[in-house]
Amino acid sequence: MQLMPDSPLRQAALEVEAHVGAQGWDQAPRLFALVPTADLLARQPELADQLSADPDSITPVEQELSGDRELEDLLTEIEWPEAVMGCAAVVERIMLPPEAEDALPEDPDELLAAAAAHPDRREVRLVAAVTRDGATHSAVRARDSDAALLEGPDLVPGLIEHLRRTLT
């Protein structure tokens, strides 16, 4: 039984998650332009055997990123051309339970070390996808080998908001 309504954006977000996930963990952030597959095929018909035949589908196109800055910082400088209908990003983060926050140091370097060493930490991969028309989809997968993929329209609101700003 499928609980999440399907859409071309959902399929693109899941494709991005599967693509990045197939390459394992401990990856740098990744960024994808989302383009209508029909537009891409009109410009590059030789890709027809590699892309969906669904005229409404969305194709993720990975972008080259500078590895020396945080993704959220890079996103403040990105403005997509009109041919890009949306974008998606993938980041890995450490999540801690709310009760752990009070004991965390304020210094950023010490904070990272404390979070990485915390016994209740969970490493997660976050995927967020947005389109110019306001649609969103997100997915979260814990590093646990048997972890299920959680998905929904707003599981990673901060990353979604950063991506939205690149489309205005």
Side-chain angles (χ1 to χ4, degrees):
M1 176 171 81
Q2 182 175 327
L3 300 175
M4 187 61 46
D6 206 8
S7 70
L9 180 60
R10 177 179 180 261
Q11 288 303 313
L14 295 179
E15 180 180 340
V16 164
E17 196 280 331
H19 170 72
V20 173
Q23 297 170 36
W25 287 86
D26 302 317
Q27 295 185 52
R30 312 274 286 273
L31 183 64
F32 298 80
L34 300 179
V35 296
T37 303
D39 292 356
L40 186 56
L41 287 173
R43 288 190 303 273
Q44 296 181 287
E46 68 275 10
L47 296 176
D49 61 339
Q50 299 172 41
L51 302 176
S52 172
D54 180 349
D56 295 326
S57 69
I58 299 170
T59 298
V61 179
E62 189 160 7
Q63 306 299 297
E64 197 71 32
L65 289 180
S66 169
D68 59 345
R69 293 173 56 201
E70 288 292 320
L71 176 66
E72 292 83 354
D73 186 39
L74 285 169
L75 290 175
T76 64
E77 299 172 6
I78 293 175
E79 291 182 32
W80 298 101
E82 285 301 315
V84 173
M85 71 178 298
C87 56
V90 182
V91 295
E92 293 179 10
R93 295 290 187 254
I94 295 173
M95 294 179 67
L96 296 175
E99 59 272 12
E101 291 180 19
D102 292 338
L104 293 174
E106 296 208 14
D107 177 82
D109 293 332
E110 291 177 22
L111 175 65
L112 287 175
H118 197 282
D120 295 326
R121 75 183 180 283
R122 290 198 72 183
E123 295 177 58
V124 294
R125 179 179 297 122
L126 309 174
V127 178
V130 302
T131 59
R132 288 187 189 277
D133 67 4
T136 63
H137 196 78
S138 53
V140 177
R141 185 179 302 275
R143 189 169 183 151
D144 307 336
S145 60
D146 60 347
L149 181 69
L150 304 175
E151 59 175 306
D154 57 1
L155 296 179
V156 288
L159 186 53
I160 286 170
E161 188 54 37
H162 281 292
L163 292 174
R164 273 192 176 129
R165 288 187 198 125
T166 69
L167 296 168
T168 58

